Every structure is written in structure tokens, then in C-alpha cells.
Amino acid sequence: MTRTYPWHAESWRIAQSALARGAHALLIAGAPGLAKADFARALAASHLCVSRDTHGHACGVCESCHWLSAGTHPDFAVVEPPPDDDEGGRRGGAASAVRKKAIGVDQIRGLSDLLGITAHRDAGKVIIVQPADALNPAASNALLKSLEEPPPGIVFLLVSDRPALLLATVRSRCQSVPIHLRDSAMASRWLKEQGMERPELGLALSGGAPLEAIAIATNPVWARRPELLRELVVNATDPIRMAEVFRDLAPAQALSWLQKLTYDLVFVRLCSRVRYNVDLSGEIERLASRLDPIRLTRLHRRYVSLQRIANHPLNARLFLEQMFIEFSRMREGDASMDGTK
Ligand SMILES: [Zn+2]
């Protein structure tokens, strides 16, 4: 089964009209959590289907649709980074912090059979590359050759959160299909239909990504966020005790909450509103008014710089302690903080 979401409607029209005009490569780009991979798959199904509906959606019952859902379609391929067997990379729980492997040149060369032979059906062939920003330089160049002289009947769908990382020559040969969340009220309505109780909070915490909002709402770890923030913001709990109370929390998860908290503390000073932790706006505003903005900004940068080691700290407990100690020092206006990067 393939599906699209309410916020895909405009992009769907753009993609369909590009394909109808004979485009052979689309770059589907937008922020994480907007189901771009589902969009690409639905578009592939649509292109390969022999009896699309009036909006261009795949019928779900023809031979091509069956092949696709069974994973046996001879005219379809997905190119992705090889599975990550590094367990440490998955521990953090903060998906954005996990460094993905690259797509190698052999994976692009491995498409030569699909690129060379005639399609099994008149509908042509579809190759999805996701995330396209994971292509390594050799793989990008190999793909570029096919984009420059596309074999007849083939459509490439490149999917990316960070299209700026693609080779400019690759980007320029793709028709752009941006995916945005233009209307957050629409996303809120949709989240409510999915049974989410506080969709606005979910959208704020996820930075406006509905699927991420659902992941947050259904992940029990996130139930600890308000408690952790209250201890820091309202109770100014001793950092060593904090590390004891939250010892089971993955350091990368705690760090991502601290980053958003310090972001909010800075943001509320500048823009008089909280961006992420909207359920604690009042508490965050009150604390922010008492803090030194320079020291606050410095601590926020410091947390961002810790990102690269948060998935593999030498000692998780000490890492948590250190993060909480630095928050506490910033709060108290401890001058020894000023030496930190
Ligand atoms: Zn079909």
C-alpha cells in the first residue's frame, strides 16, 4: 500500500504535471518528518500503475501495483544507504543525530541492468534514491551520467532533507518538487484525526513535522521531558541529583532537550515567544528574564557542539552530569563557564 498526506496535495500536482511533461528526474525536497519517502513511493506506484484514478493515484489492484507491494516489481528499484549495523548509533533515540552511511558507487553501478533493459511494461521504470544527500562523490558522478543521458522511459526520484548537499550538477538536472507544511492548522487537524491530544504541542516540539510529532507522542521517553525541564527551569535541582534521577535517559535524548530549552530561553528574549516547549512558555519566560543572554547563547552553542559525541560518550552518566552542571553554572552566572567553547 502507498499513501500520501494532506500536506502533499500541492507537491503531488507539481510532480504529476512534471511527469506528464516527460520529466525524467524529480528532486523531492523538504524538512524531515513530512513523509517524503511515502510521497516518492506513492509517485512511483502512480507512474507504474496501469489504471490510475483521476488524481493520478495508483489503483492498488493491477498487476504492477501488486508487484510493487510484494517488492518484486521488475521495473522499480530503491537505492538507500546500506543498513546501519552500528548499535551505538541507534541508542540515542534522537534520529537526527544518527549519522547515516553513504550510498556507494557500486550501488549506482548495480542499476545498470535496470537501466539497460527494456521495461517489462509500457509504463516505464522508476528508481528512487533516498536520501539523495547520502550519495558519495563517486556515486553522485555515476548517477549524473544517467541523468545527463537518461535511458528512455526511466524516472529518477531523488529524496532529500538537505538538497544543498547534492552536487549542483545533479540538482540542476532534476525538476524540483518541494514539500512544505504551509498550513500548520491543516497538520493539527490531521494529527487530531489520528487521535493526538495536543497536536499544537507535538508540532512545536517536532519543529513542524507531523510524523515526528506522532513519534514523539507515542514514545514513552518523551513523557519525561516536562519533568526534566521543570527540574531545570523551575526547581533548579542539583545537577548531580539530576543525573541520578535521569540516569536511564540516553545522553543524546537529554542533549536534544537541553538544546531546545536553551534555544527557547534565547528565542524568548529576542522574539517574546517560545518556539519548541510551548507547554512551559510561562516558566521559560520567567527564567529567561533573569539570565545573561550572552552566557545563555554560549551554553546553547556548547550543547550543539556536544552533538557529535552524544551518541558515543565515554561515560554516559558523566556526560549527563556535565550537561546539567553547565546549565546550573550558567543559571548561577558562574564566571568559570566563560572558558567553555
Ligand atoms: Zn495499479
Side-chain angles (χ1 to χ4, degrees):
M1 252 332 267
T2 61
R3 69 175 299 183
T4 55
Y5 294 84
W7 55 90
H8 287 163
E10 174 66 16
S11 314
W12 184 260
R13 279 190 290 276
I14 293 172
Q16 288 292 349
S17 90
L19 292 177
R21 287 195 311 271
H24 65 271
L26 305 185
L27 173 56
I28 299 160
L34 295 177
K36 293 186 297 299
D38 290 315
F39 180 91
R41 182 141 185 121
L43 199 56
S46 154
H47 192 66
L48 295 168
C49 176
V50 295
S51 60
R52 289 184 278 270
D53 70 15
T54 48
H55 298 291
H57 291 283
C59 71
V61 292
C62 72
E63 193 172 41
S64 171
C65 286
H66 276 303
W67 282 343
L68 201 68
S69 60
T72 55
H73 204 301
D75 299 324
F76 173 72
V78 179
V79 182
E80 293 176 297
D84 195 350
D85 45 17
D86 175 6
E87 281 182 25
R90 296 197 176 281
R91 240 180 358 158
S96 56
V98 178
R99 192 172 294 279
K100 294 252 169 58
K101 282 191 186 168
I103 295 174
V105 67
D106 289 345
Q107 290 178 265
I108 301 299
R109 289 193 186 125
L111 296 170
S112 60
D113 282 354
L114 188 59
L115 294 171
I117 52 169
T118 341
H120 288 74
R121 310 198 62 113
D122 295 340
K125 307 183 226 182
V126 179
I127 294 172
I128 294 179
V129 182
Q130 64 182 24
D133 46 81
L135 287 160
N136 74 16
S140 293
N141 280 311
L143 179 65
L144 184 59
K145 286 205 180 74
S146 298
L147 294 179
E148 282 171 335
E149 292 166 35
I154 198 131
V155 169
F156 288 94
L157 302 177
L158 279 64
V159 180
S160 178
D161 297 341
R162 297 172 297 171
L165 297 182
L166 269 68
L167 275 188
T169 41
V170 167
R171 267 203 318 272
S172 70
R173 278 167 181 81
C174 297
Q175 174 105 27
S176 170
V177 179
I179 297 194
H180 301 295
L181 189 64
R182 283 204 180 82
D183 177 6
S184 68
M186 172 219 279
S188 281
R189 270 197 308 279
W190 180 81
L191 286 168
K192 234 182 185 114
E193 284 162 23
Q194 312 308 307
M196 194 164 171
E197 282 174 17
R198 302 178 69 186
E200 289 80 13
L201 175 61
L203 280 174
L205 288 173
S206 65
L211 297 194
E212 180 74 11
I214 290 185
I216 286 172
T218 51
N219 183 344
V221 166
W222 276 80
R224 304 195 71 190
R225 181 195 59 92
E227 180 197 353
L228 181 136
L229 296 189
R230 275 181 194 287
E231 296 297 347
L232 288 172
V233 173
V234 183
N235 302 332
T237 303
D238 172 64
I240 308 296
R241 176 156 161 64
M242 287 282 295
E244 168 64 23
V245 172
F246 294 98
R247 63 185 179 281
D248 300 330
L249 201 58
Q253 182 65 74
L255 180 64
S256 86
W257 290 344
L258 285 163
Q259 282 173 2
K260 286 192 166 75
L261 172 61
T262 46
Y263 182 97
D264 277 345
L265 286 163
V266 175
F267 196 70
V268 81
R269 293 283 298 246
L270 298 174
C271 305
S272 304
R273 69 182 179 87
V274 161
R275 178 172 172 192
Y276 295 110
N277 300 288
V278 291
D279 51 337
L280 294 166
S281 292
E283 291 86 341
I284 289 173
E285 269 171 44
R286 274 190 291 283
L287 177 60
S289 67
R290 302 204 303 269
L291 299 177
D292 173 6
I294 293 173
R295 206 162 261 142
L296 199 45
T297 309
R298 203 174 282 150
L299 180 62
H300 177 68
R301 284 204 205 112
R302 161 86 175 143
Y303 286 152
V304 171
S305 77
L306 288 174
Q307 185 89 48
R308 69 200 142 77
I309 54 167
N311 283 314
H312 305 277
L314 288 177
N315 181 323
R317 177 69 173 269
L318 284 180
F319 189 84
L320 283 176
E321 265 179 28
Q322 189 60 33
M323 282 191 287
F324 296 137
I325 286 171
E326 291 184 19
F327 191 88
S328 166
R329 284 188 183 156
M330 179 277 300
R331 243 193 116 118
E332 290 158 15
D334 184 338
S336 70
M337 256 288 299
D338 291 2
T340 56
K341 293 180 280 289

